[in-house]
Amino acid sequence: MSTHLVTGISELTTQSSEEARPESAENRVLDAAMIVEHGRIAWIGPAANAPAADQRTDLGGRAVLPGWVDTHTHLVFAGDRSAEFEARMAGQPYSAGGIATTVAATRAATEEQLVVNALRLRLEAARQGTTFLETKTGYGLDLESETRSAVAAAAVADVVSYLGAHVVPPGIDRRDYLDLVTGPMLAAVAPYAGFVDVFCETGAFDVEESREVLLAGRAAGLGVRVHGNQLGHSGGVALAVELGASSVDHCNHLSDADVAALADSPTVATLLPACDLSTRQPLAPARRLLDAGASIAFATNCNPGSSYTSSMAFCVATAVLQMGLTVREAVWAATRGAARTVGAELGPGAVGSLRTGGHASFQVLDAPSVSHLAYRPGVPLTVAVWKNGERLGFAPPAGGLSL
Ligand code: NIG
C-alpha cells in the first residue's frame, strides 16, 4: 500500500485537542496537508512541511473535517408515515402511538427488504459525510422481528442498540412484554448489539420499567443509552445519570436539576434538532447545557416517524442558526462529541477526529471553511468522503469537481 498526500486543504478541522475544547486553536490547521497510509493518517500538518508521498490529491483549497458521527438512528423499518407528518404539520401532536404503524409494516417485511432499505439510508448518509453510524432495533417488537431487525442493523451500522423497549406492542400484556424484552429477546439480540436503549416516556415505559430494561441489558454486557425527556419531564435524564449511561437522547424538557445532573456526570446529552422541528417540540437547550458544563452531541434520529432525515449538516446548521451554538461547537458535537457516546472518542479506534495514527475518515466541503455549513444552510457542501483511507465512490456533483 502506497502513501497518499492530500493537499490543497484550506482549513483542516482536526478536533484533536487534548483539552477537548471546540474553539481551541490546536483543532484547526490552515493551508494543511495529510498523508494517508494503510487507512490511517500517517502525517498531518501545514502543507509547507509535508513530506513526499507516492500519490497526491490536490483538493484545490477546500475545507476538510472528520466524517460525521451519527449516533442516533432507527434505519431498520418498512413503510411510510408521511400522512402522519402531514397531519402533524396541520396541528396534530406527535405521540409514541405512531410507532405501531411502523411495527406492523416492519413485521410484514422480509429481512432482505429491511436490509435494502437500511442500506439505502446508510448510503444516503455516507454521501453526505457520515462515516460512522449507530442504528437501533425497535420496530419489530416480537422475538422473531427484533432478532431479524438486529441482523439487518448489524449489516449496515457500525454499532447497534437494542430497543426492544420502544413501546409495548398491541396484543401482549405489559408485564409479559417486559419479561420478553429482558429475557429471551435480549438473549437473541445481544450478540448483535453494543448498547441497550429504552424509550422512557409517557406512552412508552416509565422510570421503573426503564431501569429494569437497562439493568438487564447491562447484565448482558451492553452499554446503556436512554431516550429521555422528549415529550415531557419523563425522568429519563435522571435515570440515565443515575445509571452512568453513555448517552441520554432528545432532552427537550429539562429542569434545572436535570441540567445540573448532566453537567456533573459523564453522560452525554445527544440532541436531535431535526426531530425537534419535525415534531414541533421545543428545540433542546443546547446552549444552556454547554454553559452549565454538560457534554452534548448531535444526531439525526433518522426514522420514518419523528425525523426522516439523514443530514447531519442540517442538524449542525440548525444548532448554529437556532440553538445558539458557534459553528465549531456544533461541528464538535456532531463528530468528536458524538464519538464519546459510543466510547470511540480516544484511542486507536477513535472516530470524529483527525490525528496522526487515527482513522483517515474525513469529508471535503466545497467551501473554504466549516463556517459555510451554517453560512450556506441547506446547500449540499460535502463533495468527497473518505472512509478508512479510501475515497467512497459516489457520482460526482453537478459541475464535475475532479479531486
Ligand atoms: O427517537 N422517540 C422514540 N423513538 C423514535 C421515533 C419513533 C417513531 O416515531 O417512529 C425517536 O424519535
Side-chain angles (χ1 to χ4, degrees), residues 15 65-73 122 125 128-134 158-159 225 270 297-300 312 316 330-345 350-353 361 363:
Q15 318 275 44
L65 68 157
W68 303 123
V69 178
D70 189 354
T71 58
H72 186 135
T73 77
R122 173 78 209 240
Q128 298 171 85
T130 298
T131 53
F132 184 98
L133 181 136
E134 177 266 16
D158 297 288
V159 64
R225 322 175 74 77
T270 297
F298 289 113
T300 62
M312 288 292 281
V316 165
V331 167
W332 178 283
T335 52
R336 184 164 161 181
R340 186 176 296 175
T341 78
V342 287
E345 184 189 6
V351 295
S353 57
S361 295
Q363 54 181 311

Side-chain angles (χ1 to χ4, degrees), residues 72 74 81 94 99 139 166 199 227 230 250 301 303 305-306:
H72 186 135
H74 305 249
R81 280 163 62 194
Y94 173 79
I99 292 168
Y139 289 122
H166 204 176
F199 187 16
H227 286 60
Q230 176 185 3
H250 288 286
N301 189 16
N303 77 76
S306 64

Side-chain angles (χ1 to χ4, degrees), residues 207-208 210-212 214-215 218 224 226 235-245 248 261-262 265-267:
V207 170
E208 282 314 309
S210 299
R211 184 185 285 109
E212 182 183 340
L214 296 173
L215 291 177
R218 174 179 282 172
V224 169
V226 180
V237 168
L239 177 65
V241 170
E242 173 197 319
L243 297 182
V248 57
L262 283 166
S265 85
T267 300

Side-chain angles (χ1 to χ4, degrees), residues 132-160:
F132 184 98
L133 181 136
E134 177 266 16
T135 203
K136 304 175 198 298
T137 71
Y139 289 122
L141 307 189
D142 61 28
L143 182 58
E144 193 261 323
S145 305
E146 276 295 292
T147 309
R148 214 150 40 94
S149 298
V151 172
V156 304
D158 297 288
V159 64
V160 174

Side-chain angles (χ1 to χ4, degrees), residues 77-86 98 101-103 105-106 117 120 303-305 308:
F77 67 87
D80 175 88
R81 280 163 62 194
S82 53
E84 179 189 317
F85 174 77
E86 278 183 36
T101 308
T102 304
V103 171
T106 303
N117 189 46
R120 170 183 71 84
N303 77 76
Y308 200 9

